[in-house]
PDB file of all heavy atoms in Angstrom:
ATOM      1  N   ALA A 242     101.253  41.725   5.410  1.00 88.00           N
ATOM      2  CA  ALA A 242     100.203  41.087   4.615  1.00 88.00           C
ATOM      3  C   ALA A 242     100.750  40.643   3.262  1.00 88.00           C
ATOM      4  O   ALA A 242     100.460  39.532   2.802  1.00 88.00           O
ATOM      5  CB  ALA A 242      99.031  42.046   4.424  1.00 88.00           C
ATOM      6  N   LEU A 243     101.563  41.496   2.639  1.00 85.00           N
ATOM      7  CA  LEU A 243     102.157  41.130   1.353  1.00 85.00           C
ATOM      8  C   LEU A 243     103.098  39.946   1.498  1.00 85.00           C
ATOM      9  O   LEU A 243     103.138  39.062   0.642  1.00 85.00           O
ATOM     10  CB  LEU A 243     102.913  42.324   0.749  1.00 85.00           C
ATOM     11  CG  LEU A 243     102.045  43.439   0.176  1.00 85.00           C
ATOM     12  CD1 LEU A 243     102.915  44.619  -0.232  1.00 85.00           C
ATOM     13  CD2 LEU A 243     101.227  42.943  -1.000  1.00 85.00           C
ATOM     14  N   ALA A 244     103.854  39.929   2.585  1.00 85.00           N
ATOM     15  CA  ALA A 244     104.764  38.803   2.822  1.00 85.00           C
ATOM     16  C   ALA A 244     103.968  37.512   2.973  1.00 85.00           C
ATOM     17  O   ALA A 244     104.357  36.465   2.448  1.00 85.00           O
ATOM     18  CB  ALA A 244     105.622  39.060   4.052  1.00 85.00           C
ATOM     19  N   GLY A 245     102.854  37.594   3.690  1.00 85.00           N
ATOM     20  CA  GLY A 245     101.998  36.413   3.841  1.00 85.00           C
ATOM     21  C   GLY A 245     101.429  35.972   2.511  1.00 85.00           C
ATOM     22  O   GLY A 245     101.412  34.772   2.197  1.00 85.00           O
ATOM     23  N   ASP A 246     100.977  36.944   1.705  1.00 85.00           N
ATOM     24  CA  ASP A 246     100.448  36.620   0.381  1.00 85.00           C
ATOM     25  C   ASP A 246     101.536  36.009  -0.497  1.00 85.00           C
ATOM     26  O   ASP A 246     101.290  35.060  -1.236  1.00 85.00           O
ATOM     27  CB  ASP A 246      99.881  37.875  -0.301  1.00 85.00           C
ATOM     28  CG  ASP A 246      98.628  38.404   0.382  1.00 85.00           C
ATOM     29  OD1 ASP A 246      98.043  37.673   1.216  1.00 85.00           O
ATOM     30  OD2 ASP A 246      98.231  39.544   0.094  1.00 85.00           O
ATOM     31  N   SER A 247     102.745  36.553  -0.415  1.00 88.00           N
ATOM     32  CA  SER A 247     103.857  36.040  -1.220  1.00 88.00           C
ATOM     33  C   SER A 247     104.202  34.618  -0.799  1.00 88.00           C
ATOM     34  O   SER A 247     104.478  33.763  -1.642  1.00 88.00           O
ATOM     35  CB  SER A 247     105.086  36.942  -1.072  1.00 88.00           C
ATOM     36  OG  SER A 247     104.817  38.212  -1.611  1.00 88.00           O
ATOM     37  N   ALA A 248     104.206  34.359   0.481  1.00 87.00           N
ATOM     38  CA  ALA A 248     104.498  33.014   0.970  1.00 87.00           C
ATOM     39  C   ALA A 248     103.439  32.032   0.481  1.00 87.00           C
ATOM     40  O   ALA A 248     103.758  30.911   0.063  1.00 87.00           O
ATOM     41  CB  ALA A 248     104.584  33.007   2.491  1.00 87.00           C
ATOM     42  N   GLU A 249     102.190  32.457   0.522  1.00 87.00           N
ATOM     43  CA  GLU A 249     101.092  31.608   0.042  1.00 87.00           C
ATOM     44  C   GLU A 249     101.240  31.353  -1.455  1.00 87.00           C
ATOM     45  O   GLU A 249     101.094  30.218  -1.915  1.00 87.00           O
ATOM     46  CB  GLU A 249      99.748  32.284   0.323  1.00 87.00           C
ATOM     47  CG  GLU A 249      98.547  31.544  -0.212  1.00 87.00           C
ATOM     48  CD  GLU A 249      98.223  30.284   0.568  1.00 87.00           C
ATOM     49  OE1 GLU A 249      98.643  30.153   1.720  1.00 87.00           O
ATOM     50  OE2 GLU A 249      97.540  29.415  -0.005  1.00 87.00           O
ATOM     51  N   ALA A 250     101.552  32.395  -2.215  1.00 89.00           N
ATOM     52  CA  ALA A 250     101.726  32.235  -3.660  1.00 89.00           C
ATOM     53  C   ALA A 250     102.907  31.320  -3.962  1.00 89.00           C
ATOM     54  O   ALA A 250     102.839  30.487  -4.881  1.00 89.00           O
ATOM     55  CB  ALA A 250     101.932  33.599  -4.323  1.00 89.00           C
ATOM     56  N   LEU A 251     103.985  31.456  -3.213  1.00 88.00           N
ATOM     57  CA  LEU A 251     105.147  30.593  -3.405  1.00 88.00           C
ATOM     58  C   LEU A 251     104.802  29.135  -3.109  1.00 88.00           C
ATOM     59  O   LEU A 251     105.179  28.231  -3.862  1.00 88.00           O
ATOM     60  CB  LEU A 251     106.300  31.059  -2.516  1.00 88.00           C
ATOM     61  CG  LEU A 251     107.589  30.254  -2.600  1.00 88.00           C
ATOM     62  CD1 LEU A 251     108.151  30.264  -4.016  1.00 88.00           C
ATOM     63  CD2 LEU A 251     108.612  30.791  -1.613  1.00 88.00           C
ATOM     64  N   ALA A 252     104.065  28.910  -2.044  1.00 90.00           N
ATOM     65  CA  ALA A 252     103.663  27.541  -1.696  1.00 90.00           C
ATOM     66  C   ALA A 252     102.782  26.951  -2.797  1.00 90.00           C
ATOM     67  O   ALA A 252     102.951  25.780  -3.175  1.00 90.00           O
ATOM     68  CB  ALA A 252     102.931  27.530  -0.358  1.00 90.00           C
ATOM     69  N   GLN A 253     101.866  27.752  -3.329  1.00 92.00           N
ATOM     70  CA  GLN A 253     101.004  27.268  -4.410  1.00 92.00           C
ATOM     71  C   GLN A 253     101.813  26.978  -5.670  1.00 92.00           C
ATOM     72  O   GLN A 253     101.568  25.987  -6.362  1.00 92.00           O
ATOM     73  CB  GLN A 253      99.906  28.292  -4.704  1.00 92.00           C
ATOM     74  CG  GLN A 253      98.877  28.387  -3.613  1.00 92.00           C
ATOM     75  CD  GLN A 253      97.863  29.497  -3.864  1.00 92.00           C
ATOM     76  OE1 GLN A 253      97.999  30.292  -4.782  1.00 92.00           O
ATOM     77  NE2 GLN A 253      96.848  29.562  -3.016  1.00 92.00           N
ATOM     78  N   ALA A 254     102.786  27.846  -5.968  1.00 92.00           N
ATOM     79  CA  ALA A 254     103.621  27.633  -7.151  1.00 92.00           C
ATOM     80  C   ALA A 254     104.456  26.368  -6.998  1.00 92.00           C
ATOM     81  O   ALA A 254     104.600  25.591  -7.954  1.00 92.00           O
ATOM     82  CB  ALA A 254     104.523  28.843  -7.387  1.00 92.00           C
ATOM     83  N   ARG A 255     104.992  26.148  -5.808  1.00 93.00           N
ATOM     84  CA  ARG A 255     105.765  24.922  -5.564  1.00 93.00           C
ATOM     85  C   ARG A 255     104.892  23.687  -5.730  1.00 93.00           C
ATOM     86  O   ARG A 255     105.316  22.685  -6.310  1.00 93.00           O
ATOM     87  CB  ARG A 255     106.362  24.942  -4.169  1.00 93.00           C
ATOM     88  CG  ARG A 255     107.559  25.847  -4.051  1.00 93.00           C
ATOM     89  CD  ARG A 255     108.141  25.799  -2.667  1.00 93.00           C
ATOM     90  NE  ARG A 255     109.342  26.615  -2.583  1.00 93.00           N
ATOM     91  CZ  ARG A 255     109.870  27.029  -1.467  1.00 93.00           C
ATOM     92  NH1 ARG A 255     109.323  26.702  -0.306  1.00 93.00           N
ATOM     93  NH2 ARG A 255     110.956  27.768  -1.477  1.00 93.00           N
ATOM     94  N   GLN A 256     103.674  23.754  -5.226  1.00 95.00           N
ATOM     95  CA  GLN A 256     102.749  22.629  -5.348  1.00 95.00           C
ATOM     96  C   GLN A 256     102.419  22.368  -6.813  1.00 95.00           C
ATOM     97  O   GLN A 256     102.422  21.223  -7.261  1.00 95.00           O
ATOM     98  CB  GLN A 256     101.469  22.892  -4.553  1.00 95.00           C
ATOM     99  CG  GLN A 256     100.449  21.779  -4.631  1.00 95.00           C
ATOM    100  CD  GLN A 256     100.933  20.495  -4.002  1.00 95.00           C
ATOM    101  OE1 GLN A 256     101.704  20.509  -3.045  1.00 95.00           O
ATOM    102  NE2 GLN A 256     100.512  19.374  -4.530  1.00 95.00           N
ATOM    103  N   ALA A 257     102.160  23.430  -7.565  1.00 95.00           N
ATOM    104  CA  ALA A 257     101.850  23.279  -8.991  1.00 95.00           C
ATOM    105  C   ALA A 257     103.037  22.684  -9.739  1.00 95.00           C
ATOM    106  O   ALA A 257     102.869  21.817 -10.610  1.00 95.00           O
ATOM    107  CB  ALA A 257     101.457  24.623  -9.587  1.00 95.00           C
ATOM    108  N   LEU A 258     104.237  23.132  -9.406  1.00 94.00           N
ATOM    109  CA  LEU A 258     105.442  22.600 -10.043  1.00 94.00           C
ATOM    110  C   LEU A 258     105.620  21.121  -9.719  1.00 94.00           C
ATOM    111  O   LEU A 258     105.926  20.314 -10.614  1.00 94.00           O
ATOM    112  CB  LEU A 258     106.668  23.395  -9.595  1.00 94.00           C
ATOM    113  CG  LEU A 258     108.011  22.954 -10.169  1.00 94.00           C
ATOM    114  CD1 LEU A 258     108.009  23.047 -11.682  1.00 94.00           C
ATOM    115  CD2 LEU A 258     109.121  23.786  -9.568  1.00 94.00           C
ATOM    116  N   ALA A 259     105.412  20.750  -8.469  1.00 94.00           N
ATOM    117  CA  ALA A 259     105.542  19.344  -8.077  1.00 94.00           C
ATOM    118  C   ALA A 259     104.522  18.487  -8.827  1.00 94.00           C
ATOM    119  O   ALA A 259     104.852  17.389  -9.294  1.00 94.00           O
ATOM    120  CB  ALA A 259     105.355  19.200  -6.569  1.00 94.00           C
ATOM    121  N   GLU A 260     103.306  18.987  -8.962  1.00 96.00           N
ATOM    122  CA  GLU A 260     102.276  18.236  -9.683  1.00 96.00           C
ATOM    123  C   GLU A 260     102.638  18.094 -11.157  1.00 96.00           C
ATOM    124  O   GLU A 260     102.450  17.024 -11.758  1.00 96.00           O
ATOM    125  CB  GLU A 260     100.917  18.917  -9.520  1.00 96.00           C
ATOM    126  CG  GLU A 260     100.365  18.811  -8.114  1.00 96.00           C
ATOM    127  CD  GLU A 260      99.140  19.686  -7.886  1.00 96.00           C
ATOM    128  OE1 GLU A 260      98.725  20.420  -8.808  1.00 96.00           O
ATOM    129  OE2 GLU A 260      98.607  19.646  -6.761  1.00 96.00           O
ATOM    130  N   GLU A 261     103.174  19.155 -11.752  1.00 95.00           N
ATOM    131  CA  GLU A 261     103.573  19.102 -13.158  1.00 95.00           C
ATOM    132  C   GLU A 261     104.735  18.119 -13.352  1.00 95.00           C
ATOM    133  O   GLU A 261     104.741  17.342 -14.312  1.00 95.00           O
ATOM    134  CB  GLU A 261     103.980  20.493 -13.649  1.00 95.00           C
ATOM    135  CG  GLU A 261     104.397  20.536 -15.108  1.00 95.00           C
ATOM    136  CD  GLU A 261     103.294  20.143 -16.069  1.00 95.00           C
ATOM    137  OE1 GLU A 261     102.108  20.363 -15.761  1.00 95.00           O
ATOM    138  OE2 GLU A 261     103.623  19.608 -17.141  1.00 95.00           O
ATOM    139  N   GLU A 262     105.700  18.149 -12.450  1.00 95.00           N
ATOM    140  CA  GLU A 262     106.817  17.202 -12.529  1.00 95.00           C
ATOM    141  C   GLU A 262     106.316  15.765 -12.405  1.00 95.00           C
ATOM    142  O   GLU A 262     106.785  14.868 -13.115  1.00 95.00           O
ATOM    143  CB  GLU A 262     107.844  17.498 -11.444  1.00 95.00           C
ATOM    144  CG  GLU A 262     108.659  18.746 -11.701  1.00 95.00           C
ATOM    145  CD  GLU A 262     109.609  19.079 -10.563  1.00 95.00           C
ATOM    146  OE1 GLU A 262     109.437  18.537  -9.451  1.00 95.00           O
ATOM    147  OE2 GLU A 262     110.512  19.893 -10.795  1.00 95.00           O
ATOM    148  N   GLU A 263     105.361  15.551 -11.508  1.00 96.00           N
ATOM    149  CA  GLU A 263     104.807  14.206 -11.326  1.00 96.00           C
ATOM    150  C   GLU A 263     104.103  13.740 -12.594  1.00 96.00           C
ATOM    151  O   GLU A 263     104.275  12.592 -13.024  1.00 96.00           O
ATOM    152  CB  GLU A 263     103.830  14.206 -10.146  1.00 96.00           C
ATOM    153  CG  GLU A 263     103.356  12.831  -9.762  1.00 96.00           C
ATOM    154  CD  GLU A 263     102.485  12.835  -8.529  1.00 96.00           C
ATOM    155  OE1 GLU A 263     102.762  13.630  -7.609  1.00 96.00           O
ATOM    156  OE2 GLU A 263     101.543  12.042  -8.487  1.00 96.00           O
ATOM    157  N   ARG A 264     103.337  14.636 -13.225  1.00 96.00           N
ATOM    158  CA  ARG A 264     102.656  14.276 -14.479  1.00 96.00           C
ATOM    159  C   ARG A 264     103.676  13.975 -15.582  1.00 96.00           C
ATOM    160  O   ARG A 264     103.519  13.004 -16.339  1.00 96.00           O
ATOM    161  CB  ARG A 264     101.715  15.400 -14.928  1.00 96.00           C
ATOM    162  CG  ARG A 264     100.419  15.478 -14.149  1.00 96.00           C
ATOM    163  CD  ARG A 264      99.433  16.438 -14.803  1.00 96.00           C
ATOM    164  NE  ARG A 264      99.905  17.810 -14.811  1.00 96.00           N
ATOM    165  CZ  ARG A 264      99.733  18.682 -13.828  1.00 96.00           C
ATOM    166  NH1 ARG A 264      99.091  18.327 -12.739  1.00 96.00           N
ATOM    167  NH2 ARG A 264     100.189  19.921 -13.941  1.00 96.00           N
ATOM    168  N   THR A 265     104.722  14.782 -15.651  1.00 95.00           N
ATOM    169  CA  THR A 265     105.762  14.572 -16.674  1.00 95.00           C
ATOM    170  C   THR A 265     106.454  13.233 -16.471  1.00 95.00           C
ATOM    171  O   THR A 265     106.660  12.473 -17.429  1.00 95.00           O
ATOM    172  CB  THR A 265     106.791  15.724 -16.634  1.00 95.00           C
ATOM    173  OG1 THR A 265     106.116  16.950 -16.875  1.00 95.00           O
ATOM    174  CG2 THR A 265     107.881  15.531 -17.661  1.00 95.00           C
ATOM    175  N   LEU A 266     106.808  12.941 -15.218  1.00 95.00           N
ATOM    176  CA  LEU A 266     107.456  11.661 -14.931  1.00 95.00           C
ATOM    177  C   LEU A 266     106.529  10.482 -15.218  1.00 95.00           C
ATOM    178  O   LEU A 266     106.971   9.452 -15.738  1.00 95.00           O
ATOM    179  CB  LEU A 266     107.940  11.627 -13.480  1.00 95.00           C
ATOM    180  CG  LEU A 266     109.122  12.545 -13.171  1.00 95.00           C
ATOM    181  CD1 LEU A 266     109.405  12.538 -11.670  1.00 95.00           C
ATOM    182  CD2 LEU A 266     110.353  12.127 -13.954  1.00 95.00           C
ATOM    183  N   ALA A 267     105.261  10.623 -14.905  1.00 96.00           N
ATOM    184  CA  ALA A 267     104.303   9.549 -15.173  1.00 96.00           C
ATOM    185  C   ALA A 267     104.180   9.315 -16.678  1.00 96.00           C
ATOM    186  O   ALA A 267     104.105   8.161 -17.133  1.00 96.00           O
ATOM    187  CB  ALA A 267     102.942   9.890 -14.573  1.00 96.00           C
ATOM    188  N   THR A 268     104.188  10.394 -17.462  1.00 96.00           N
ATOM    189  CA  THR A 268     104.116  10.262 -18.920  1.00 96.00           C
ATOM    190  C   THR A 268     105.363   9.570 -19.458  1.00 96.00           C
ATOM    191  O   THR A 268     105.271   8.661 -20.299  1.00 96.00           O
ATOM    192  CB  THR A 268     103.974  11.655 -19.568  1.00 96.00           C
ATOM    193  OG1 THR A 268     102.776  12.271 -19.075  1.00 96.00           O
ATOM    194  CG2 THR A 268     103.909  11.569 -21.073  1.00 96.00           C
TER     195      THR A 268
END
């Protein structure tokens, strides 16, 4: 269960990072 939660958290963090990079590049 923890591994699943960690994988989900990692996926969310990657998505947030990609969105932040996209905003930075757009700026």
Side-chain angles (χ1 to χ4, degrees):
L243 286 173
D246 292 346
S247 295
E249 176 73 21
L251 180 60
Q253 290 175 352
R255 284 182 177 162
Q256 180 65 32
L258 180 60
E260 290 170 358
E261 181 62 30
E262 287 176 344
E263 188 175 323
R264 284 190 296 273
T265 301
L266 290 174
T268 300

